[in-house]
């Protein structure tokens, strides 16, 4: 019983760590009115795509 509990706990911890690493626990970004041409969410998506490309190049 204890081993099962420990396994579930570590599995949840792994999932939570991965989500926080990817930023899925962050609140949604609201569009900024100061720059109507490019919203913050668009900037974030662009940055994520760029970092993903960099990571793939390193492998």
């Amino acid at each position: 019983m204890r081993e099962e509990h420990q396994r579930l706990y570590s599995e949840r911890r792994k999932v939570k760590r991965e989500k926080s690493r990817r930023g899925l626990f962050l609140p949604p970004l609201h569009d900024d009115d100061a720059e109507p041409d490019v919203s913050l969410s668009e900037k974030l998506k662009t940055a994520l795509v760029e970092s993903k490309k960099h990571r793939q190049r390193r492998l």
Side-chain angles (χ1 to χ4, degrees):
M1 186 69 188
R2 174 120 173 98
E3 295 87 18
E4 182 68 16
H5 178 268
Q6 191 66 36
R7 189 184 64 76
L8 280 173
Y9 177 79
S10 62
E11 189 66 29
R12 282 193 205 114
R13 212 168 127 213
K14 238 192 293 183
V15 169
K16 196 169 186 179
R17 192 181 301 139
E18 182 65 21
K19 277 186 176 180
S20 66
R21 188 180 73 80
R22 293 181 184 196
L24 298 178
F25 285 141
L26 295 174
L29 292 173
H30 299 291
D31 292 345
D32 194 0
D33 294 334
E35 284 188 76
D37 55 339
V38 181
S39 66
L40 280 178
S41 56
E42 289 297 317
K43 287 181 184 177
L44 178 64
K45 285 177 188 170
T46 307
L48 287 174
V49 168
E50 288 299 314
S51 69
K52 187 176 180 181
K53 285 179 187 174
H54 287 296
R55 253 186 279 132
Q56 287 176 344
R57 275 193 225 128
R58 275 190 278 154
L59 296 176

